[in-house]
Amino acid sequence: MLSVLKKKYCIFFLFTCSLFAQNKLAQEIELILQMESLEKQTDNSIKLQQLLILLSKQNETTISPEMGILYATIGKQYYKNNDNSKAIIYLKKAIQIQKKFKIDALEVLNKTRNNLAWIYSYEGLEKERYQILQDIIDDEGTDKYTFNASIDCAVIESNKGDFYSGLSRLNVLLTKYNEIDKEIQLRAAIIGIYGKMYENVFKPRKQFDLEIIKKHQKIIESEFNSTGLNKTLLYTAYNNLAIVYDAFGNFDIALRLYKKVKKYYTLQEDASRFSVLNNIGFLYAKQGKYIEAIDCYKEVIAKSEDVKQIATAYDNMGYFLNDSSVQMKIPYFQKAIQILLENKQNKFTVPSLENIRRSGYQQDILIYLVDLAYHYVEAFKEDKDKKYLLQAKETLYRIDELVSLMRYESNAEQSKLFWIEKGVNTYLLAVEVCY
């Protein structure tokens, strides 16, 4: 009987010691994070050093919530010190531990996953980012990280051309959330996907789409002031609305929205104003106001640091150089493609499918390739030089591969149909080239 009591006492003592040690570890982590320094960069370096020393004193085989927090905190400090490779390693270790305690601490796990997802985004690892966001969603939490992950996944899907998967995901979420802030965020994200669908891509206009975004616009405008959301969300929605109105030929509404957004972004010193400026230039060009359009594009090229916006400006300039020969326009489309691929070579070559895929700009490059192929054909008609036909053929071949890739990577049947319809136009141009 005495030996049984001793055994129980030993177990209780060991449990108490372990609990004390873990509480002490949590306190030590908090103390390190509260360290102050005159210079922020030095502060982060010192914090990281202290955290690593603290880790070296632990039994690394110990699995506890506090050890998970320690690894996660180290990962975050590595990120603050611009070492994302080590940040990823430590955040992954944290996640492995925190998964074991997710029944009682799912939000803690999701916070770490969210931090890892952001680092993947900075590193251009979209596939890895999508997977970690999907892990958050699959655990069906009620925290903000789960909600945000659902929106982020929808945006990622639309960015790779799977528009209808993204829309379906967001429409389902609309039925689940009653809070006004979340509802407005979802409606703004839906408008964002429609904006993406109608931006650059020559999508067949469906009146039903316009009616849908008008409904979302009405609710956002009537309810936004009741939310605690940042006004940037509202003006981003306005920009996307303008893109759709522009595509449907409602130029006055589109221009009014564009100018409203540009004024807001300029006051905020937000670089997004260059995206709006590109859109305004495109609208001016469609109205035949070519001088105003070119001025917009030149301002983007001169002042923007965003390669996507600079590439868009070059492509638009080439398309709307009203008084130039076709041959004079071709270098602008080539330049747009080279900018997105970070290709600084003077001689243009049609990029490989793998290089396009790695760039993350598949949809944009597709548009520039289509513009380029069309103008190669027009250059042949103008100059009768067969080299343009050969260049058109090579470009159209790559376009066909790229459209097939985007169709293959789409999940929703509507998205697959979208890219099939997109391919039909280039097939017709290819037939023209062959004959």
Side-chain angles (χ1 to χ4, degrees), residues 136-333:
I136 295 174
I137 295 167
D138 290 344
D139 277 330
E140 299 181 340
T142 57
D143 52 69
K144 65 180 180 181
Y145 305 108
T146 302
F147 175 76
N148 291 335
S150 299
I151 293 180
D152 289 343
C153 278
V155 171
I156 291 171
E157 287 163 353
S158 69
N159 284 342
K160 68 178 185 178
D162 198 356
F163 302 116
Y164 291 97
S165 282
L167 288 172
S168 176
R169 185 189 291 273
L170 295 177
N171 283 319
V172 169
L173 287 173
L174 262 182
T175 67
K176 293 182 177 181
Y177 290 99
N178 296 319
E179 304 99 312
I180 188 63
D181 281 33
K182 286 186 170 61
E183 179 187 342
I184 297 303
Q185 283 179 269
L186 289 168
R187 293 187 186 279
I190 288 169
I191 289 173
I193 291 180
Y194 277 108
K196 186 70 176 175
M197 287 170 65
Y198 281 97
E199 179 186 43
N200 294 329
V201 177
F202 298 111
K203 181 187 187 312
R205 295 189 295 274
K206 297 179 181 178
Q207 190 64 30
F208 186 62
D209 288 343
L210 184 59
E211 298 308 314
I212 288 172
I213 70 126
K214 283 181 177 179
K215 175 185 173 183
H216 290 301
Q217 178 185 4
K218 183 177 179 181
I219 294 173
I220 289 174
E221 289 183 325
S222 64
E223 300 291 343
F224 193 86
N225 288 335
S226 303
T227 73
L229 298 170
N230 190 300
K231 277 195 173 181
T232 298
L233 180 76
L234 174 63
Y235 283 90
T236 300
Y238 279 147
N239 186 47
N240 288 313
L241 283 164
I243 291 170
V244 181
Y245 281 119
D246 187 350
F248 279 85
N250 296 333
F251 298 144
D252 290 342
I253 298 175
L255 187 58
R256 186 169 68 249
L257 288 171
Y258 281 141
K259 287 184 175 180
K260 181 188 291 190
V261 176
K262 183 175 179 287
K263 181 179 178 181
Y264 173 79
Y265 283 148
T266 301
L267 289 172
Q268 299 294 315
E269 297 183 348
D270 190 323
S272 298
R273 67 185 183 276
F274 294 115
S275 171
V276 183
L277 197 57
N278 260 325
N279 293 337
I280 292 173
F282 193 71
L283 190 152
Y284 279 148
K286 287 193 287 187
Q287 292 179 313
K289 299 176 182 178
Y290 298 112
I291 294 175
E292 292 91 333
I294 296 300
D295 286 344
C296 288
Y297 301 143
K298 285 181 177 178
E299 185 176 345
V300 173
I301 292 169
K303 296 181 181 179
S304 178
E305 296 179 358
D306 185 329
V307 293
K308 181 177 177 180
Q309 295 311 323
I310 296 171
T312 299
Y314 271 109
D315 181 78
N316 288 342
M317 278 187 71
Y319 206 89
F320 294 112
L321 280 174
N322 195 39
D323 297 325
S324 300
S325 67
V326 178
Q327 291 97 319
M328 292 288 290
K329 294 183 176 187
I330 287 173
Y332 287 90
F333 308 124

Side-chain angles (χ1 to χ4, degrees), residues 65-88:
E66 290 75 17
M67 281 296 288
I69 290 172
L70 179 56
Y71 278 117
T73 306
I74 291 172
K76 190 172 181 179
Q77 291 302 316
Y78 267 121
Y79 161 71
K80 288 183 176 181
N81 281 275
N82 300 315
D83 192 340
N84 286 346
S85 59
K86 286 187 178 176
I88 290 171

Side-chain angles (χ1 to χ4, degrees), residues 332-346:
Y332 287 90
F333 308 124
Q334 295 173 338
K335 180 75 171 178
I337 295 166
Q338 287 177 309
I339 287 171
L340 290 185
L341 295 174
E342 298 181 356
N343 183 352
K344 297 180 180 179
Q345 295 179 1
N346 291 326

Side-chain angles (χ1 to χ4, degrees), residues 3-19:
S3 63
V4 172
L5 287 173
K6 283 183 176 178
K7 184 180 288 186
K8 287 183 176 180
Y9 174 77
C10 288
I11 293 171
F12 175 76
F13 177 75
L14 290 171
F15 173 77
T16 303
C17 289
S18 175
L19 188 62

